[in-house]
Amino acid sequence: MLKIFSTQVAGLLKSISDKEEQSIEEASRLLAQTVLSEGTVYFNGFGEMGAVVSEALYGENQFRQAAEFSDTKFEELLTIDSVVVASRFVDDEEAVEFCAKVREIADCHVILMGGYRKEADLEKAADIVIDTKAVRGLVPLDDGSRLGFPSGLAALFVYYALFLTTEEILEDFIEE
């Protein structure tokens, strides 16, 4: 099972890297703009996606000017801020409502990451949506079910893609 899972995870991460490159680049430009404007990059994770928040705030590679989003932050949001929202699925009702509320209150940048289960109208919810490609378990069982649903792992990969690309943009800007 581990060999199947490892192979499938490698394919999943390659798919994110290949197919979400443009979304990651666009999101990183918005995040770099927030950092350069001395705004705050807020992170909010639903469920197991709290791992993304922990990585951004406490990990070895902390995101610049990062803060965890809490309900009290709605009043503090500025148009120069950005909010990165991580959810298991991009059409998660709670996450979509949260994104819409952020945009309504502050009209700041909102980046939503999660797996696409089906087509969803997310234009009003977020400026940029990044598909983690994680929508089900990766290891098939004899009874047709699946194990090994790597939603958190895929979201952390997207976090690092955002982190590294944003750092690259900021380095290029600061050198000029």
Side-chain angles (χ1 to χ4, degrees):
M1 271 194 200
L2 183 56
K3 185 151 180 98
I4 293 168
F5 183 71
S6 298
T7 301
Q8 293 292 335
V9 166
L12 177 75
L13 300 182
K14 181 164 180 13
S15 180
I16 294 169
S17 183
D18 293 345
K19 296 179 180 171
E20 296 303 307
E21 182 178 17
Q22 183 176 352
S23 295
I24 290 166
E25 178 81 23
E26 289 173 16
S28 292
R29 288 188 192 288
L30 293 179
L31 296 173
Q33 186 179 44
T34 295
V35 170
L36 292 169
S37 300
E38 298 185 8
T40 302
V41 178
Y42 290 101
F43 286 85
N44 191 6
F46 291 87
E48 73 272 21
M49 297 305 175
V52 173
V53 178
S54 292
E55 195 66 36
L57 299 179
Y58 311 113
E60 180 72 23
N61 298 122
Q62 298 171 10
F63 211 93
R64 295 184 195 208
Q65 295 166 220
E68 183 171 6
F69 195 93
S70 68
D71 289 338
T72 59
K73 300 280 194 235
F74 278 111
E75 294 79 36
E76 298 174 20
L77 283 172
L78 303 172
T79 55
I80 61 171
D81 294 335
S82 291
V83 181
V84 178
V85 180
S87 178
R88 182 180 300 163
F89 300 112
V90 294
D91 63 344
D92 175 80
E93 193 173 309
E94 187 180 9
V96 171
E97 286 176 13
F98 172 80
C99 291
K101 186 173 179 181
V102 167
R103 291 188 75 190
E104 179 184 314
I105 290 173
D107 193 33
C108 62
H109 299 300
V110 177
I111 297 155
L112 174 61
M113 70 171 79
Y116 268 98
R117 288 187 286 197
K118 57 186 176 198
E119 287 301 313
D121 181 20
L122 300 168
E123 195 171 299
K124 294 177 184 162
D127 295 293
I128 298 170
V129 178
I130 302 171
D131 185 1
T132 62
K133 311 290 185 198
V135 294
R136 63 183 182 170
L138 300 179
V139 181
L141 300 177
D142 292 338
D143 66 1
S145 63
R146 292 177 166 267
L147 291 177
F149 183 17
S151 57
L153 188 143
L156 285 170
F157 182 80
V158 169
Y159 166 77
Y160 272 101
L162 288 171
F163 172 80
L164 294 168
T165 306
T166 303
E167 285 297 312
E168 186 176 37
I169 291 167
L170 289 170
E171 283 179 23
D172 288 346
F173 188 86
I174 292 168
E175 286 178 3
E176 291 177 359

